[in-house]
Structure formats: structure tokens, C-alpha cells
């Protein structure tokens, strides 16, 4: 992407986080500060959106339509990108019951950046991948003919952007861990890593559905499986956007120890999982572990 407002700053910094909770088990912790790659489109949002934005502009589209829940970081990033590029944006939001309520901080930020929000029923939203349902949703949102970016920004183009993240980390550690929503970042990251490195995904939603999604995305993007990846389930803390007091306290403590802002919905769950896995001896002594900081608070 050559537009001056969207010029990224990769590669993002890789810094060591000296932490006795990891060091006591012989594990070295590194932080890939992808939250610093762009001031308004941090981390995986930049990496997934940039190829799609390029494709939209090259095909003459002046309007983007995408999907997300009430706390979607992807919606926020798409709205910001639209403002910076002068593109109209439409956000199709899960939950028609939200239409008559005051906007939360996340959706208010989308609206302030010019995104037109269209609320739909949860049953319709679940069927958005069906061609007829998608066409109906776009029509009802006044977005027929828009360039469509899928929920979370995860598609074959997005994976090419996330593979670059993996290439930036080649040879830096044995395990590279990232929080997962739709699985696109992990799918691309794994493809970009070198042989002998493993990508570890920490799902922030329960359900056990991500494995199939990641395999499907890799087939679309690369023609088949790519790289070594695994999932660490059970660290969703009750579901997406659920931040129990213990998780919030853990994140605040990590911020105090390391001076790194910890986004609560994704990054806090990632770091909590890595701490718990390290304490349970999931990583052999001598392991260098990289946590990808995908977003800012």
C-alpha cells in the first residue's frame, strides 16, 4: 500500500520481556510489537486489511462493506482505513437488538470515522456466507456492489499479509504464539515461519471450530496445509469480550512489569495462556517463545 496515510512501519520491533515467571521454567519470552506497525491500524489488522484495500482500490471500488460484533476491532480498523483513504465504509453488525441502544465505545469510534452501521439479526448474521443471504444483507445495508471484506478480515488475500509476519520472525524463536478470532492471522503466520518453528494459536472464543477454518483458509490461499501450527483451547475466559477480574488484574500486572499496553480482548488472553502453559511445563527448558502483540487498547 503506497498511500501516505496508510504507509506501515514494518518490521515491527521484537523485544525481550525478562519475566521470572517464564525464566524459572527455562523459557525466554519475546514480544513482537505488532501494535506499533501503524498508529490506527495496529498489528494483524494492518496485515490483513492492506492486501484487501489494495485490491479494492485497484478494482475501482470506493466503498467497503464488512462484518463484526459490537466489540469488533476489525470494524474499528476498517472504519479508520476508510477515513484515511477516503472510502465509504459500511459495517454490518451482529445483533439487531443493538440498533435502539446507545453505541458502545467501539461502535462509537467506527461511527466517528464515518462508518455507516447496519444491525442485523443474529440468525441472519450466522448465514452471511451463503450467497443469497450475503446479497440480501448487502442490499438491506445499502452496500450492493461494495468491496466485501469478511468478518475479521480473514480471506486468502489477508493470509498473504500475515505470512509476512511469519517471515519477519524466521529463526527468532521455536514457538510463535498469537491470539485467534477468525484464525486468519495464525493461518498466514504459520505459512511464513521457517521449518522447525511452530505457530501456536490461542482462541478467544470457545467452540473448537477454528481448526477447520484455518485449514480451509490455507487451502484457499496456498493450495493446502502450510507450516506447523497448533491451537491451545480453553483460554477464552467465558467468551469473546469477556474480561473477568482475574484476567484484567493479570493484564494490569503485565503492563506494570513490562511497560507494554495490554489489549484485553485478545492480547491479555494470549499472555495469560502462555503463562499458564509455561507453568504446566508445556514448553521444554531452553525454549524461546514469541508472543505477537496484535493490537492496542
Amino acid at each position: 500500500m503506497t498511500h501516505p496515510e496508510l504507509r506501515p512501519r514494518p518490521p515491527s520491533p521484537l523485544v525481550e520481556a525478562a519475566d521470572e515467571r517464564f525464566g524459572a521454567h527455562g523459557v525466554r519470552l519475546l514480544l513482537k510489537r505488532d501494535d506499533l506497525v501503524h498508529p490506527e491500524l495496529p498489528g494483524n489488522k494492518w496485515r490483513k486489511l492492506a492486501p484487501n484495500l489494495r485490491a479494492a482500490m485497484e478494482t475501482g471500488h470506493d466503498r467497503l462493506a464488512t462484518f463484526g460484533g459490537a466489540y469488533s476491532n476489525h470494524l474499528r480498523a476498517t472504519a479508520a482505513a476508510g477515513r484515511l483513504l477516503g472510502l465509504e465504509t459500511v459495517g454490518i453488525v451482529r445483533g439487531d437488538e443493538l440498533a435502539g441502544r446507545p453505541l458502545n465505545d467501539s461502535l462509537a469510534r467506527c461511527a466517528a470515522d464515518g462508518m455507516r452501521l447496519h444491525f442485523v439479526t443474529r440468525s441472519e448474521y450466522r448465514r452471511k456466507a451463503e450467497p443469497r443471504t450475503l446479497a440480501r444483507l448487502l442490499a438491506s445495508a445499502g452496500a450492493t456492489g461494495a468491496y466485501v471484506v469478511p468478518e475479521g478480515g480473514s480471506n486468502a488475500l489477508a493470509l498473504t499479509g500475515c505470512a509476512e509476519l511469519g517471515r519477519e520472525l524466521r529463526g527468532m524463536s521455536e514457538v510463535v504464539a498469537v491470539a485467534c478470532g477468525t484464525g486468519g492471522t495464525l493461518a498466514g503466520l504459520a505459512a511464513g515461519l521457517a521449518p522447525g518453528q511452530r505457530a501456536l494459536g490461542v482462541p478467544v472464543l470457545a467452540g473448537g471450530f477454528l481448526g477447520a477454518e484455518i485449514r480451509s483458509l490455507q487451502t484457499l490461499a496456498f493450495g493446502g496445509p502450510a507450516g506447523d501450527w497448533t491451537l491451545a483451547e480453553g483460554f477464552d475466559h467465558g467468551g469473546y469480550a469477556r474480561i473477568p477480574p482475574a484476567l484484567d488484574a493479570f493484564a494490569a500486572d503485565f503492563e506494570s512489569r513490562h511497560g507494554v499496553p495490554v489489549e484485553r480482548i485478545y492480547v491479555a488472553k494470549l499472555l495469560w495462556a502462555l503463562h499458564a502453559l509455561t507453568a504446566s511445563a508445556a514448553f521444554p527448558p531452553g525454549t524461546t517463545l514469541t508472543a505477537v502483540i496484535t493490537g492496542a487498547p
Side-chain angles (χ1 to χ4, degrees), residues 2-93:
T2 58
H3 192 285
E5 294 295 337
L6 282 180
R7 190 171 295 124
R9 299 172 177 83
S12 53
L14 183 65
V15 298
E16 184 161 4
D19 193 312
E20 69 274 12
R21 297 171 296 180
F22 292 82
H25 299 274
V27 174
R28 180 180 179 222
L29 178 65
L30 305 179
L31 304 178
K32 177 66 166 168
R33 294 294 308 275
D34 237 33
D35 56 318
L36 301 178
V37 77
H38 190 281
E40 295 193 70
L41 307 176
N44 62 340
K45 301 310 174 191
W46 160 260
R47 295 185 187 272
K48 290 197 285 188
L49 273 175
N52 279 284
L53 292 169
R54 183 180 299 113
M57 297 177 72
E58 288 175 351
T59 53
H61 288 83
D62 59 5
R63 181 172 41 174
L64 307 174
T66 194
F67 301 83
Y71 296 92
S72 170
N73 289 331
H74 167 68
L75 286 181
R76 287 173 55 183
T78 304
R83 174 175 54 78
L84 292 169
L85 284 172
L87 299 174
E88 180 185 348
T89 57
V90 179
I92 298 175
V93 185

Side-chain angles (χ1 to χ4, degrees), residues 16 51 61 68 97 106 110 124 163 168 172 195 204 214 222 252 269-270 276 287:
E16 184 161 4
H61 288 83
E97 74 278 4
S106 183
C110 292
E124 279 188 299
E168 289 177 19
M172 299 298 182
V204 300
I214 292 165
F222 310 119
K269 293 180 180 182
L270 168 69
T287 296

Side-chain angles (χ1 to χ4, degrees), residues 21 93 95 186 230 248:
R21 297 171 296 180
V93 185
L186 177 66
T230 56
D248 189 49

